[in-house]
Amino acid sequence: MPQKSGITINIPGLGVRNILTIVSDYTGTLSFDGKLIAGIRERMNELADHVDIHIVTADTTGTARKELSGIRLKKILKLKGNDHDCQKRAYLEQLDPRHVAVFGNGNNDRLQLRAAKDAGGLAIAVDNGEGCAVDAIMNAHIFINGIANALDLLLYPKRCVATLRF
């Protein structure tokens, strides 16, 4: 299978971001009360034409696999045990974080957000109404209300440029 085209975002003062992969949390990031947010399936499938999409989640509500059906995902990883923050970071580091856009809302997303940010990827903290941990926000490039708006940052990259330029 040929490599996907990726998404390139040239952000003055911050540099070029070449996104080849999306890594996202599910619970509270793509969903509200365990249900996928309306309009997300379509956006994610549009993004899947350009990048690989991985979901790494504790799946608190146990609904991720069902709710994400019909989306062209590369992988869904359901975390086990404790230390989910470390597990998420370790998974991200296998994917070359300088080419990853990470979406998350919880304390357990903070380390993967920081890893992507430090490596030259893109780190996006999202609130869908269930809240966003302050540590997630502090380790992200952008905090945004709503996963539809967050995914649109990649579908319409000039939105990223307008927010992040120096």
Side-chain angles (χ1 to χ4, degrees):
M1 175 183 271
Q3 180 158 343
K4 295 181 180 183
S5 62
I7 298 167
T8 300
I9 308 170
N10 188 355
I11 305 166
L14 194 62
V16 176
R17 298 299 190 258
N18 293 308
I19 305 302
L20 301 175
T21 305
I22 291 172
V23 174
S24 182
D25 174 48
Y26 177 73
T27 306
T29 301
L30 296 174
S31 68
F32 183 84
D33 285 339
K35 300 288 185 196
L36 188 68
I37 301 291
I40 299 313
R41 185 175 321 286
E42 297 78 14
R43 283 174 173 86
M44 290 184 76
N45 278 329
E46 185 175 348
L47 286 166
D49 290 339
H50 306 283
V51 298
D52 291 329
I53 303 173
H54 300 245
I55 307 300
V56 182
T57 181
D59 195 15
T60 305
T61 59
T63 60
R65 210 165 279 285
K66 177 183 174 214
E67 290 290 315
L68 293 167
S69 67
I71 299 175
R72 295 189 322 267
L73 301 174
K74 181 85 170 184
K75 183 168 188 169
I76 299 175
L77 176 64
K78 185 173 187 314
L79 301 171
K80 297 182 185 336
N82 297 315
D83 74 346
H84 291 168
D85 56 344
C86 294
Q87 289 180 54
K88 286 183 173 191
R89 180 184 56 203
Y91 185 82
L92 173 76
E93 288 171 348
Q94 298 172 30
L95 300 173
D96 192 358
R98 68 188 162 138
H99 296 294
V100 177
V102 175
F103 297 89
N105 76 314
N107 273 329
N108 68 0
D109 296 309
R110 66 192 165 83
L111 297 180
Q112 70 175 349
L113 288 162
R114 171 52 67 188
K117 185 176 181 181
D118 288 348
L122 190 59
I124 303 170
V126 181
D127 175 39
N128 278 320
E130 293 183 7
C132 188
V134 171
D135 277 348
I137 295 168
M138 297 300 292
N139 284 288
H141 287 103
I142 298 173
F143 167 70
I144 193 161
N145 182 17
I147 188 60
N149 293 326
L151 294 173
D152 284 351
L153 292 171
L154 297 180
L155 291 169
Y156 307 99
K158 288 187 179 183
R159 295 178 186 180
C160 260
V161 173
T163 300
L164 293 175
R165 71 170 9 125
F166 285 99

